[in-house]
């Protein structure tokens, strides 16, 4: 009976994964079967998926849009100084000035983040993408993830701050995925992130895969590394290490004079999109490509359509590249922030859903965003 029960659960798991995205079943189930300790957590999370979906649908009937994911910039600290870092450009990893609503010039602490995740979970948020700064410099990061075993935590790290103690704790958790940021090969990665970073990032991937952790890579696509990722042999190298997730985000330029890290041309965008779709059909990896995948969702998914973003100081912004807010979660609830006129205006402005060939829809419409911000009384979360 136990064997039949397990088989039935696996079939149910496949059915739910197929309902979300058939690629999830083909990528994650074989991996989970090789690491059975993750299966029970998968069942819990899939149950939570169904439950949170119902909560979000009920919220819509009451006029409230709850995203399935939140991006948490959990710390302003970072041990690297990468070229063209958007987190630094938007003030996430630089010195902070007091926000309009926050009374302290400091980042949120562990208890405050726990309270935010608790409220988000109760509202219907299923998953949390942990960014920064460097997440593994935040004290108690993995304990925070452990507190919410029926939620998904995707930790995006530069791979240089994960200690052996972290590795041991990760081995005990089944509700997290660790994505290591990398640019490509050694020369490409080190030129943007610093000497020796490629080898350290690669070592981290190998250590995590050795303990059966769910891992992936996060890549910022630009003209410097575009050709590298067009070559399937380079991707196969990371697959051989054990990655199962690949997030490819086209760069948003912050330095107009650095042509090497400029966005792709329209022809390069089309070619890269075609290659991503080929990879998706042929490689054992779950791919996320922005802005390419946004077409499936009818355009930009910020401001609560698919996700929202919380800064290290608690400001609720439409997305990580947008440094405007009307609510700080030290003094406001997440529910209030998601229902704010700022978020509603962005979601209801169909023009803002279009990227117009840019890597980000909000970045492509600065005047419209500025008009909305002025109309609703939004403040900047950092100094430009």
């Amino acid at each position: 009976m136990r064997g039949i029960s397990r088989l039935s659960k696996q079939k149910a798991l496949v059915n739910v994964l197929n309902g979300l995205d058939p690629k999830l079943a083909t990528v994650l189930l074989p991996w989970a079967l090789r690491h059975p300790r993750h299966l029970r957590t998968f069942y819990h999370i899939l149950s939570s998926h169904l439950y949170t979906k119902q909560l979000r649908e009920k919220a819509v009937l009451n006029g409230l849009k709850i995203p399935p994911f939140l991006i948490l910039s959990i710390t302003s600290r970072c041990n690297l100084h990468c070229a063209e870092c958007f987190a630094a450009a938007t003030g996430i990893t630089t010195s902070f000035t007091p926000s309009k609503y926050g009374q302290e010039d400091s980042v949120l602490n562990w208890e405050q983040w726990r309270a935010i995740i608790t409220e988000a979970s109760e509202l219907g948020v299923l998953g949390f993408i942990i960014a920064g700064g460097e997440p593994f410099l935040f004290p108690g990061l993995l304990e925070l993830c452990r507190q919410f075993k029926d939620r998904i935590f995707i930790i995006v790290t530069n791979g240089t701050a994960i200690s052996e103690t972290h590795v041991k704790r990760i081995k005990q958790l089944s509700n997290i995925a660790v994505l290591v940021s990398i640019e490509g090969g050694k020369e490409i990665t080190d030129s943007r992130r610093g000497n020796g970073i490629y080898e350290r990032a690669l070592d981290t991937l190998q250590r995590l895969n050795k303990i059966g952790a769910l891992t992936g890579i996060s890549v910022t696509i630009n003209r410097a590394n575009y050709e590298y990722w067009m070559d399937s042999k380079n991707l196969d190298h990371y697959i051989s290490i054990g990655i199962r997730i690949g997030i490819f985000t086209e760069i948003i330029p912050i330095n107009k004079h650095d042509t090497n890290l400029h966005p792709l041309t329209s022809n390069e965008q089309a070619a890269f999109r075609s290659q991503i779709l080929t990879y998706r059909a042929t490689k054992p990896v779950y791919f996320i490509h922005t802005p390419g995948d946004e077409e499936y969702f009818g355009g930009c998914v910020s401001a609560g359509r698919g996700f929202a973003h919380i800064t290290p100081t608690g400001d609720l912004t439409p997305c990580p590249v947008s440094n405007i807010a009307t609510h700080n979660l030290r003094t406001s609830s997440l529910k209030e922030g998601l229902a704010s006129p700022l978020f509603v205006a962005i979601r209801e402005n169909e023009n803002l859903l279009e990227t117009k060939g840019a890597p980000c829809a909000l970045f492509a419409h600065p005047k419209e965003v500025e008009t909305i911000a002025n109309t609703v009384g939004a403040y900047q979360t950092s100094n430009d």
Side-chain angles (χ1 to χ4, degrees), residues 103-357:
Q103 300 301 312
E104 301 176 32
D105 185 17
S106 62
V107 296
L108 298 176
N109 61 36
W110 191 91
E111 289 294 343
Q112 289 169 317
W113 279 117
R114 186 180 186 278
I116 289 171
I117 296 172
T118 297
E119 184 194 358
S121 300
E122 292 171 351
L123 288 174
V125 175
L126 175 64
F128 301 87
I129 300 173
I130 309 296
E134 168 50 45
F136 282 94
L137 295 180
F138 180 76
L141 169 67
L142 297 177
E143 174 59 24
L144 191 64
C145 299
R146 190 192 69 80
Q147 295 272 320
F148 301 89
K149 295 180 180 179
D150 59 349
R151 292 297 183 270
I152 303 168
F153 292 87
I154 301 173
I155 306 173
V156 184
T157 171
N158 62 40
T160 66
I162 299 181
S163 66
E164 284 305 313
T165 299
H166 286 135
V167 171
K168 291 177 181 178
R169 293 298 304 276
I170 290 171
K171 187 176 182 179
Q172 298 170 354
L173 298 174
S174 299
N175 63 332
I176 68 171
V178 180
L179 274 56
V180 176
S181 295
I182 203 157
E183 306 302 320
K186 176 178 173 57
E187 181 178 353
I188 298 173
T189 298
D190 287 359
S191 67
R192 186 184 184 202
R193 295 182 170 269
N195 291 333
I197 301 304
Y198 172 78
E199 294 295 344
R200 293 171 68 183
L202 208 64
D203 177 68
T204 292
L205 279 173
Q206 292 169 335
R207 285 189 294 146
L208 292 177
N209 281 295
K210 187 176 181 180
I211 64 169
L214 181 59
T215 64
I217 54 175
S218 175
V219 182
T220 301
I221 293 295
N222 55 77
R223 301 200 73 185
N225 64 358
Y226 154 77
E227 292 184 353
Y228 178 92
W229 293 107
M230 289 291 288
D231 187 341
S232 62
K233 293 181 181 178
N234 292 322
L235 177 62
D236 289 341
H237 170 63
Y238 294 95
I239 295 174
S240 70
I241 294 175
I243 69 158
R244 289 296 174 263
I245 302 171
I247 296 182
F248 291 82
T249 305
E250 295 182 24
I251 196 169
I252 299 173
I254 59 175
N255 183 357
K256 295 181 180 179
H257 301 292
D258 192 343
T259 57
N260 195 40
L261 292 178
H262 263 191
L264 306 183
T265 66
S266 57
N267 287 338
E268 288 169 340
Q269 274 189 319
F272 187 71
R273 179 60 180 170
S274 177
Q275 185 69 308
I276 284 291
L277 294 177
T278 298
Y279 288 158
R280 187 170 283 164
T282 60
K283 304 294 184 181
V285 173
Y286 189 76
F287 291 97
I288 298 174
H289 172 219
T290 60
D293 287 344
E294 291 180 354
E295 64 186 72
Y296 296 126
F297 303 100
C300 177
V301 292
S302 67
R305 291 188 74 233
F307 61 80
H309 170 246
I310 303 171
T311 71
T313 54
D315 288 314
L316 180 68
T317 71
C319 72
V321 303
S322 175
N323 61 344
I324 55 174
T326 56
H327 287 70
N328 184 283
L329 300 190
R330 282 198 179 106
T331 55
S332 302
S333 69
L334 176 62
K335 182 177 181 180
E336 291 170 340
L338 292 173
S340 68
L342 173 64
F343 275 44
V344 172
I346 291 175
R347 290 197 302 265
E348 293 184 350
N349 189 323
E350 293 185 2
N351 188 44
L352 290 181
L353 300 179
E354 299 294 333
T355 63
K356 292 186 175 181

Side-chain angles (χ1 to χ4, degrees), residues 16-66:
V16 175
L17 288 173
N18 280 331
L20 291 170
D21 185 336
K23 188 66 177 181
L24 277 173
T26 59
V27 170
L28 295 184
L29 189 57
W31 170 83
L33 291 175
R34 287 197 298 274
H35 305 284
R37 65 186 175 88
H38 294 287
L39 277 174
R40 179 173 296 181
T41 299
F42 266 38
Y43 300 138
H44 290 316
I45 290 176
L46 287 173
S47 176
S48 295
H49 157 67
L50 298 175
Y51 176 64
T52 55
K53 183 180 179 182
Q54 293 175 349
L55 289 177
R56 295 194 299 272
E57 291 172 347
K58 184 177 180 180
V60 169
L61 297 178
N62 293 323
L64 180 63
K65 184 70 173 177
I66 305 295

